[in-house]
Amino acid sequence: ASDVYKRQSYLCRYHQFGMHNFMDGLIIGVSYFVSIPLGLADTAAEALHGIPQELRDFGILVHDGLSPKVLYS
């Protein structure tokens, strides 16, 4: 893949990553505000949803040519 494609992929995925995590945090915060059990359930659901998603994004970025060392830092 070309360097331009790698940079675009990196920026696009991390922009989406930031917005997605911001919204998740907002939703989890509101659910705790409504009730503690709802907040705990929402946190568990988000963790079960988020872990595979993060692994997928990591795999895509490594496939696009980014070093795992760079992604861990």
Side-chain angles (χ1 to χ4, degrees):
S2 71
D3 287 338
V4 172
Y5 173 77
K6 287 180 192 177
R7 275 184 293 210
Q8 287 174 340
S9 172
Y10 181 76
L11 291 173
C12 180
R13 295 204 189 283
Y14 272 93
H15 175 69
Q16 182 267 341
F17 170 76
M19 287 300 296
H20 187 100
N21 285 349
F22 174 76
M23 293 303 294
D24 288 345
L26 201 62
I27 291 167
I28 289 172
V30 168
S31 67
Y32 274 106
F33 183 73
V34 171
S35 77
I36 299 296
L38 179 61
L40 292 171
D42 195 22
T43 300
E46 189 53 46
L48 292 172
H49 159 77
I51 292 169
Q53 182 180 358
E54 299 302 326
L55 290 172
R56 179 206 65 193
D57 289 346
F58 179 81
I60 290 170
L61 290 169
V62 168
H63 183 265
D64 285 347
L66 291 165
S67 163
K69 227 179 191 182
V70 169
L71 295 172
Y72 284 131
S73 60

